[in-house]
Amino acid sequence: MSYVGRGVTDGEVGGGGDLEAGAFGTWVTQMRESIDGDHGADVPCGTCTACCTSSQFIHITPDETETLAHIPKALLFPAPRLPEGHVLMPYNERGHCPMLIDFECSIYAHRPMTCRTYDCRIFPAAGLKIDEPDKRLIAAQAQRWRFQYPSTGDETLHHAVTAAGSFLRDHVEMLEEIGLPTNTTQLAVLAVEFHDLFIDQHDDGTATTVRLPDVQGVRVELTRRVDARRRR
Ligand code: SF4
């Protein structure tokens, strides 16, 4: 999230033309690494601050001590259903993050990992649209991204992520049973994270075709991976 600089206002977001999102295969690899916590997302946000002004609760983990040291304690509250020490930073009456001052992140060098890994390209990647009224700035920005497909593998990967997005959107009860969140943002993140379940691969790991797995198979594999992630 957030660019250091003048922010984009309601009138500007979505008003511009297409934005280059990069080669799909490269992007999806980097996004999965970002989800795994290997590094932050490298998003060419330009002057956009849509994600900092869209009524989002920012999750901060206990080990983000540098970040926590730069946010007034009064702005934080315990995150529901998460272990002690996990906190949320709410938005103000305008739907803005309280650390956004004059449309600049006032703690940019110390911003939360949630902000470092946020990438609104996940929505066009997963073929999912945000329809919450208070997220319209993100929705407008997300629809401007255009991926490139330098090889057929890039196209297959995008079809797989889109197939995963549609499948997850149509099976939210299954996700709720597993204990996964089901808002549009989380569905898009899960589609990127688990899109490999929707592709057949060559022995060398390159994608070949998109397949539609059976619901029970996805349930078992998602449960296994989520359990493994929770134990980490
Ligand atoms: S801390 Fe607030 S202002 Fe800074 S990047 Fe995150 S959401 Fe934006």
Side-chain angles (χ1 to χ4, degrees), residues 121-145:
R121 287 175 290 188
I122 57 172
F123 299 108
L128 297 174
K129 287 202 169 129
I130 318 170
D131 48 18
E132 294 103 314
D134 56 7
K135 307 275 187 299
R136 70 189 186 288
L137 294 180
I138 298 175
Q141 190 72 354
Q143 71 179 14
R144 297 175 63 194
W145 293 113

Side-chain angles (χ1 to χ4, degrees), residues 1-3 49 51-53 56 58 60 67 71 89 96-101 103-108 110-116:
M1 283 186 187
S2 185
Y3 160 80
T49 54
C51 54
C52 307
T53 56
Q56 311 222 68
I58 308 295
I60 305 167
T67 294
I71 300 174
M89 177 164 59
H96 293 192
C97 170
M99 305 315 292
L100 189 71
I101 312 288
F103 285 98
E104 291 185 16
C105 177
S106 59
I107 56 164
Y108 188 79
H110 311 284
R111 67 197 186 286
M113 190 52 73
T114 298
C115 308
R116 295 174 192 271

